Amino acid sequence: MADDPQLVIEKDARTSYLEFNQREADSPYHNANLRKAISYSIDRDAVVNRILGDGSIASTGLVPAGMSFSPTDNVDFADENKDLLTYNKEKAKEYWEAAKKELNIDSFKFDIVGDDTDSTKKILEYIQGAVKENLEGVDVTVTSVPFSVRLDRGKNGNFDVIMGGWGADYSDPSSFTDLFVTGNSYNRGQYSNKEYDKLVEASGTTNAGDPDKRWNDMVDAEKVLMEDMGIAPVYQKAEAHMRNEKVKGVVTHGAGARYDYKWTYISE
C-alpha cells in the first residue's frame, strides 16, 4: 500500500499538541522540568507510524512543515528548530528528578483531556503508557470527551493537561506563534514567557517591514517556546488518498482552500 504509486499523502498545516494548565499561581506546570519530563517521554515517531499510519508526521516544533519558507534561503520553518523536540527517555528521567526536587514531591498524578475519536484515544493511551513507563512515580489518567466538551474544558481551564491543536488560517508562522503570547484567548493553559512575548511582538511591529528580521523573530520565538516546553507538540496531521496516476497537476494547500484544480489535467 505504501509503495502504491496512486497513494498520495497530503500534509495539513495543523499541529496537535499538549497544553499544561498554568492558570493558578501554585500550578505544578509552571515547573519547566516537569513539562520537559513529560514531553521527552513521548516517542512521536511511534505515534505517527504505529498509531496513526496515515502519513501524519512527528512534530519537530509548533509550526508545521511545508507551510512557510525563509525569505532568504527558502528553508522550511519546521527545519529551523527541528533538533529541539526529541524523544529521549534518559533526559525525561533527568528532568523528572529535577522536578521532584524543585516541587518537593516523590510522585505525581495528572489527567489528560482529549477528543473521544478513535485516533486521539489511542494516542493518549500511548502517551499514558509512555509517561508511566519512563517516569517512575508518575501516574496518568485519560479523559476522552466529545469535541465540543473538550473545547469548553479548554476554554474554562478545566483540565490538567489537554490535547488540542491548531490549523493555520493562513500560510505564515505567525498563525501559530501568535497563539501563545500572554493573554491570547487560544492559549488555554495560559503559558507566559516575557522573552517569547517580546519576540512575537517585534515580528508584528518593529520588524514587520523587514522579512528577514521578522522571520528570525518568529524562529527565535519558537525556540524559546520549545526550550521552555511551554507546550508539547506531538504530530502534524496528514491525509492519505488514492489518486489515479493519470490525474496530474492537482495543487493542495495546507491552509486555506484545500485543493486547487486550475492546472489539473488527465494524461494519456
Side-chain angles (χ1 to χ4, degrees), residues 48-222:
V48 298
N49 294 325
R50 300 179 196 169
I51 299 174
L52 293 175
D54 59 0
S56 293
I57 61 176
S59 288
T60 57
L62 172 63
V63 179
M67 184 190 77
S68 47
F69 302 88
S70 166
T72 300
D73 48 18
N74 206 39
V75 171
D76 192 319
F77 193 99
D79 290 333
E80 296 280 14
N81 294 313
K82 65 180 180 180
D83 296 327
L84 297 179
L85 191 64
T86 62
Y87 166 57
N88 190 318
K89 59 184 180 181
E90 295 306 320
K91 275 191 175 182
K93 289 178 171 64
E94 291 174 8
Y95 285 125
W96 171 228
E97 290 302 318
K100 286 196 292 186
K101 292 178 181 178
E102 292 166 355
L103 294 170
N104 193 28
I105 59 175
D106 291 319
S107 61
F108 188 68
K109 182 176 181 177
F110 68 94
D111 181 71
I112 310 177
V113 175
D115 295 341
D116 61 358
T117 60
D118 288 342
S119 59
T120 299
K121 285 194 288 187
K122 289 178 181 177
I123 291 170
L124 295 187
E125 287 169 2
Y126 161 75
I127 294 175
Q128 177 186 35
V131 172
K132 291 173 69 173
E133 178 182 348
N134 291 315
L135 306 180
E136 185 177 356
V138 177
D139 189 23
V140 185
T141 57
V142 171
T143 299
S144 298
V145 296
F147 175 73
S148 60
V149 176
R150 193 261 295 169
L151 289 181
D152 286 341
R153 291 189 63 163
K155 180 179 179 180
N156 297 326
N158 185 16
F159 63 91
D160 296 328
V161 178
I162 194 166
M163 170 72 92
W166 186 258
D169 296 315
Y170 48 90
S171 298
D172 187 83
S174 64
S175 185
F176 288 86
T177 56
D178 285 354
L179 294 173
F180 296 104
V181 297
T182 303
N184 189 295
S185 60
Y186 293 104
N187 183 357
R188 306 303 195 190
Q190 295 189 5
Y191 169 75
S192 181
N193 182 293
K194 291 181 180 179
E195 181 61 21
Y196 181 85
D197 292 349
K198 180 180 177 181
L199 288 164
V200 174
E201 181 180 9
S203 71
T205 56
T206 309
N207 296 326
D210 187 320
D212 290 331
K213 289 182 178 180
R214 178 177 181 271
W215 179 267
N216 290 332
D217 284 336
M218 293 185 290
V219 168
D220 289 343
E222 186 192 55

